[in-house]
Every structure is written in C-alpha cells, then in structure tokens.
C-alpha cells in the first residue's frame, strides 16, 4: 500500500540552526501539507501546497518557514532559524483528490527537538 | 474561523460495549468533517468523512459517525468496542465555503483518548 514517508524520524538541533524536514508524498497525489503537533497538544495546520506553490498557510507559518518541492518527488519544510517553541512532531500529508474533500494520508512524522 | 471541540479528554469503555466519542464544530460555510485515529508513535490515519449526502457515514474498522446539522455535531460511534480500538481520536473540520471553495487546512480538535478495557 502506498504511503507517505518522512525523514528524519527524529532531529535534535540547537536554537538558531536551520532544519530541513523531508517528505515523499504518495506518487500520484497533487496536494501536499505540513502539520505540527506540539507534545500533548492538538494537531495544527501549517501550510498547503499545490501546483508548485503555497495555496494556504496558517498564522504559525511565518517568515522562518518555507516549503519546496525541488524535484517532483520530495516535499520539504525548512525552518530557517529554529526557536525552542518549534519543538514538535511535524507531519507531512498528501491527498490525490480535491483538496477540500479528500482525506489526507499522513506520514509517521519527524520529531524536532530544539535545545 | 473554523473550530472543533472534543469535550472529553478520555473515554473508557468495556470491550463489547458500544462507544461514542463526541465532536462539535463551528464553520461559516459548509462543513467537511473527518475523523482520524492516531496510535502511539504513528501518524494519523483516516477513518471516515462527511462531505454531503447521508448523515450517517461508515468508515474503517466498523466505525461510523452521524452528522447532525442542527446540533453542529459529528459524533464517532461503534456498536461493539475492541481492545485494539484503544487510541487517540481526532475530529477535524474544513470550511467548505458557501459553494464548495473554502479552506484547505484542516482544523483538528484536541483529541480524545479512547481506552477499551478487556
């Protein structure tokens, strides 16, 4: 069964460092997302991406964040200068159907710990 | 703005008994409603959705949910619980807009821990 894969599974970084989280969505999917889950809290939407551009982003997704689909298979989330409060589990998701009505397929997440 | 409330942090049910996990929502346009399940150290898995049509929707693993527009609710149900159903359950909503456009991002509730006791 096709699945969304994410790397790394866990990354520890120092405050102020740049981090890139990588995702390989399901191959025929068209809509891509990043969500995050701070420990013990709810899952929060960060950004959606379609047709090689951001289609929607939340207030959390400030100038420190960026996304890219560099090669037609990977979908990356970059945090330019990490803060302590960026520590969370980051989930990539994709869907093949129309964005609003389609169920999302989530990866297993990348845990980011900022020290 | 869209929002989801899951009023119970935890629901305890004996194996074999029916279970209900509650969810209410608020959107300005048409609600697109979803349930996801999260097992420990795993990503979220889709269970079921309501977009339009029948108010009772059936999903994976024997779960179903009933859309109630007047009560703005979308409670998750299962007639007979299994120990393997124990997990964290998230209700989520997208604002489908007045005519099918609307938001991309899902808004999740805070989750309900479902514990099925043998």
């Amino acid at each position: 069964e096709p699945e969304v894969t994410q790397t790394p599974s866990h990354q520890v970084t120092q405050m102020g460092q740049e981090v890139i989280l990588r995702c390989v969505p399901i191959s025929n999917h068209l809509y891509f997302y990043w969500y995050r889950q701070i420990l013990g809290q709810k899952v929060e939407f960060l950004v959606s991406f379609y047709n090689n551009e951001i289609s929607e982003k939340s207030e959390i997704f400030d100038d420190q964040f960026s996304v890219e689909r560099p090669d037609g298979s990977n979908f990356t989330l970059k945090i330019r200068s990490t803060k302590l409060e960026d520590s969370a589990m980051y989930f990539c998701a994709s869907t093949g159907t129309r964005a609003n009505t389609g169920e999302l397929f989530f990866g297993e997440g990348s845990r980011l710990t900022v020290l | 703005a869209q929002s989801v409330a899951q009023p119970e942090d935890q629901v305890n049910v004996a194996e074999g008994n029916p279970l209900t996990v509650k969810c209410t929502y608020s959107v300005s346009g048409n609600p697109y409603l979803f349930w996801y399940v999260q097992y420990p150290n795993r990503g979220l898995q889709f269970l079921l959705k309501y977009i339009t049509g029948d108010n009772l929707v059936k999903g994976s693993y024997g779960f179903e949910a009933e859309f109630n527009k007047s009560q703005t609710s979308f409670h998750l149900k299962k007639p007979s619980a299994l120990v393997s159903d124990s997990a964290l359950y998230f209700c989520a909503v997208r604002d489908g807009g007045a005519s099918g456009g609307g938001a991309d991002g899902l808004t999740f509730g805070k989750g309900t821990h479902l514990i099925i006791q043998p």
Side-chain angles (χ1 to χ4, degrees), chain A residues 55-56 98 100-101 104 108, chain B residues 36 42 49 94 100-101 103-104:
Chain A
S55 48
E56 186 178 315
R98 186 169 170 228
N100 295 57
T101 60
L104 299 184
E108 295 200 347
Chain B
Y36 285 84
R42 302 296 299 274
K49 67 179 179 182
R94 273 198 194 104
D104 281 352

Side-chain angles (χ1 to χ4, degrees), chain B residues 71-88:
Chain B
Q71 297 185 3
T72 61
S73 67
F74 191 58
H75 302 329
L76 181 70
K77 300 183 180 188
K78 186 172 182 180
S80 178
L82 299 172
V83 172
S84 56
D85 293 330
S86 298
L88 182 59

Side-chain angles (χ1 to χ4, degrees), chain A residues 3-47:
Chain A
E3 56 182 20
V4 176
T5 57
Q6 291 186 241
T7 55
S9 56
H10 188 192
Q11 181 157 356
V12 181
T13 190
Q14 295 292 323
M15 192 169 56
Q17 295 297 304
E18 176 182 284
V19 160
I20 297 176
L21 305 178
R22 291 183 169 79
C23 169
V24 179
I26 294 172
S27 62
N28 60 347
H29 283 185
L30 302 174
Y31 302 87
F32 313 112
Y33 307 81
W34 284 100
Y35 286 79
R36 78 172 185 190
Q37 184 180 32
I38 295 172
L39 187 63
Q41 298 186 28
K42 63 182 178 181
V43 178
E44 300 172 295
F45 168 71
L46 293 179
V47 65

Side-chain angles (χ1 to χ4, degrees), chain B residues 100-114:
Chain B
D104 281 352
L106 278 174
T107 296
F108 284 86
K110 62 179 174 58
T112 299
H113 284 97
L114 177 63

Side-chain angles (χ1 to χ4, degrees), chain A residues 74-92:
Chain A
N74 290 283
F75 178 51
T76 62
L77 174 70
K78 183 192 294 185
I79 309 174
R80 205 181 331 273
S81 176
T82 50
K83 304 187 282 284
L84 295 176
E85 54 265 37
D86 293 328
S87 294
M89 182 73 92
Y90 288 81
F91 291 106
C92 174

